[in-house]
């Protein structure tokens, strides 16, 4: 399996221990099976989105404290469904690399998958809090009245919005970008999926109703905004790339010493960046749901994951600035 398995990965450097030694090997065999039956990677991605979104209905149920064994079972089913969705989401990329069926739409769909899972999950976690909040009210000494329930649920809804938009969406968008940047300097343009908004806008401008469906044009338009946000939080990296383009003309002409300097600075950041992706993030979601305090997941996303994202961004921008300054 080793040679084929390695070929199905973006890079072992960008995978955490659990992915590299457990999840990715299993996904490799799934990819082989899908490839044998000529299943397209985009189909696997769509299955992932549907299954992940379906888990929301089970996450909406109170766990053992409120609903006993039945509630615990519903939450375990939710966890298993979301894990299956993640496995399929990992499989689609490995399948694309094994089969050669890579596409721009596939890259965009892969980025959308996580949002398709967590948007309904977060909405129904707010609803779950509306139904089940005795633990939180007892902690805060709040009387369980209809009025207090509405007020508290409104606060949790706002926390969920911040957690989902600024936390989950922003952090995972940044994490994905840093992975692609690392691959870009490690393997070059062909070994990464490092997109930029200018190029994506050019591609969109070439799309017409006659040549591309409404769905393809909609996703492409959304992807332009996605890449703009990635570029917006990485000004020092954008400055470095502009300096490298101006001086050397392209990444393939950048001296090995500069590429090595970037790689050596990026590699330890990639470890912390990995904590912003699914495995570490979902562990806390599962724990808080099983403990029947899912609203705590929103606070965790905002505070703890927010501080981690700030650290990753600050450290990455700092070494990009140092390398760019050295080119003056």
């Amino acid at each position: 399996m080793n040679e084929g398995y390695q070929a199905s990965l973006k890079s072992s450097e960008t995978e955490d221990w659990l992915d590299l030694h457990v999840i990715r090997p299993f996904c490799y065999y799934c990819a082989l099976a899908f490839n044998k039956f000529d299943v397209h990677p985009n189909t696997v991605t769509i299955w992932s989105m549907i299954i992940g979104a379906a888990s929301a209905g089970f996450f909406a149920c109170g766990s053992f404290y409120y609903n006993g064994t039945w509630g615990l079972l519903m939450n375990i089913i939710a966890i298993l469904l979301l894990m299956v969705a993640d496995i399929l989401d990992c499989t689609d990329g490995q399948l694309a690399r094994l089969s050669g069926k890579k596409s721009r739409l596939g890259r965009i769909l892969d980025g959308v998958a996580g949002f398709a899972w967590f948007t309904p999950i977060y909405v129904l976690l707010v609803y779950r809090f509306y139904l089940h909040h005795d633990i939180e009210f007892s902690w805060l000494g709040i009387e369980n009245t209809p009025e207090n329930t509405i007020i508290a649920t409104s606060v949790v809804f706002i926390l969920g919005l911040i957690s989902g938009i600024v936390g989950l969406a922003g952090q995972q968008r940044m994490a994905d970008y840093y992975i692609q940047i690392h691959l870009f300097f490690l393997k070059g343009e062909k070994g990464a999926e490092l997109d930029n908004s200018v190029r994506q806008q050019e591609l969109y401008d070439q799309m017409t109703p006659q040549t591309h469906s409404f769905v393809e044009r909609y996703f492409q338009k959304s992807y332009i905004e996605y890449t703009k946000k990635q570029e917006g939080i990485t000004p020092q990296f954008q400055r470095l790339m502009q300096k490298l383009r101006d001086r050397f003309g392209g990444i393939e002409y950048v001296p090995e010493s500069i590429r090595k300097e970037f790689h050596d600075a990026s590699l330890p950041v990639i470890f912390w960046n990995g904590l912003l992706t699914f495995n570490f993030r979902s562990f806390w979601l599962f724990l808080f749901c099983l403990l029947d305090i899912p609203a705590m997941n929103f606070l965790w996303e905002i505070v703890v994951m927010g501080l981690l994202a700030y650290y990753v961004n600050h450290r990455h921008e700092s070494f990009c600035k140092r390398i760019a300054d050295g080119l003056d």
Side-chain angles (χ1 to χ4, degrees):
M1 180 186 80
N2 188 54
E3 185 176 344
Y5 169 57
Q6 291 295 332
S8 73
L9 299 177
K10 294 177 182 178
S11 167
S12 60
E13 291 187 356
T14 56
E15 304 288 350
D16 63 30
W17 187 92
L18 183 62
D19 274 335
L20 187 62
H21 296 284
V22 179
I23 297 175
R24 288 294 185 179
F26 179 74
C27 293
Y28 171 69
Y29 287 113
C30 292
L32 289 178
F34 286 136
N35 192 41
K36 182 177 181 180
F37 291 98
D38 198 29
V39 178
H40 197 279
N42 291 354
T43 302
V44 178
T45 306
I46 293 171
W47 288 347
S48 166
M49 294 165 69
I50 293 171
I51 293 172
S55 72
F58 296 91
F59 275 120
C61 302
S63 190
F64 188 76
Y65 181 85
Y66 294 105
N67 294 117
T69 304
W70 179 87
L72 178 62
L73 177 61
M74 292 299 100
N75 277 253
I76 291 174
I77 291 173
I79 290 170
L80 292 175
L81 286 175
L82 194 54
M83 290 174 66
V84 169
D86 179 59
I87 288 170
L88 291 175
D89 187 48
C90 292
T91 299
D92 62 7
Q94 289 176 264
L95 176 60
R97 285 182 284 276
L98 286 173
S99 64
K101 296 176 181 177
K102 296 182 180 181
S103 67
R104 185 169 66 252
L105 179 59
R107 164 67 177 145
I108 296 171
L109 283 175
D110 193 51
V112 169
F115 304 136
W117 306 341
F118 285 104
T119 298
I121 288 174
Y122 279 26
V123 169
L124 289 184
L125 286 183
V126 175
Y127 175 68
R128 173 172 168 171
F129 176 83
Y130 172 76
L131 296 178
H132 307 295
H133 47 259
D134 292 354
I135 296 175
E136 293 89 340
F137 274 26
S138 66
W139 285 353
L140 299 172
I142 299 174
E143 185 181 357
N144 194 357
T145 65
E147 294 79 10
N148 287 340
T149 297
I150 293 296
I151 294 171
T153 302
S154 299
V155 172
V156 170
F157 176 76
I158 294 170
L159 290 175
L161 280 178
I162 298 172
S163 173
I165 297 173
V166 179
L168 174 71
Q171 292 163 13
Q172 291 201 324
R173 183 169 56 237
M174 184 186 76
D176 177 65
Y177 196 46
Y178 284 151
I179 289 172
Q180 299 308 324
I181 289 171
H182 187 82
L183 291 172
F184 186 73
F185 278 85
L186 179 66
K187 294 187 171 183
E189 189 172 359
K190 292 183 179 180
E193 298 170 338
L194 186 63
D195 297 320
N196 66 78
S197 58
V198 173
R199 176 55 180 159
Q200 296 308 309
Q201 182 66 56
E202 292 173 352
L203 293 172
Y204 178 76
D205 292 339
Q206 297 169 9
M207 302 171 79
T208 67
Q210 290 72 37
T211 60
H212 294 83
S213 68
F214 170 80
V215 172
E216 288 179 295
R217 286 181 285 119
Y218 172 79
F219 277 120
Q220 180 63 27
K221 184 67 173 177
S222 300
Y223 195 54
I224 295 170
E225 297 305 313
Y226 182 87
T227 53
K228 282 182 177 179
K229 290 176 180 177
Q230 290 177 320
E231 293 162 356
I233 62 170
T234 55
Q236 292 301 328
F237 172 71
Q238 306 307 321
R239 173 172 166 256
L240 172 60
M241 288 296 288
Q242 188 60 54
K243 280 180 172 288
L244 292 175
R245 283 191 291 265
D246 292 344
R247 176 168 295 192
F248 304 108
I251 190 65
E252 63 271 24
Y253 305 116
V254 174
E256 182 62 29
S257 60
I258 296 178
R259 295 180 63 172
K260 184 177 186 305
E261 181 183 4
F262 187 98
H263 173 269
D264 291 349
S266 174
L267 190 58
V269 177
I270 286 297
F271 167 78
W272 296 105
N273 187 69
L275 298 181
L276 296 171
T277 56
F278 180 83
N279 291 339
F280 185 72
R281 183 184 301 276
S282 61
F283 168 81
W284 295 100
L285 170 65
F286 299 162
L287 179 64
F288 290 133
C289 285
L290 291 174
L291 293 176
D292 273 311
I293 48 173
M296 287 296 295
N297 184 69
F298 298 150
L299 290 174
W300 177 268
E301 291 268 4
I302 295 168
V303 179
V304 179
M305 299 298 284
L307 289 172
L308 176 60
Y310 172 81
Y311 171 75
V312 171
N313 179 247
H314 175 74
R315 187 166 172 180
H316 198 279
E317 285 287 279
S318 294
F319 78 71
C320 285
K321 181 179 186 302
R322 185 187 71 245
I323 297 173
D325 289 345
L327 296 173
D328 291 335

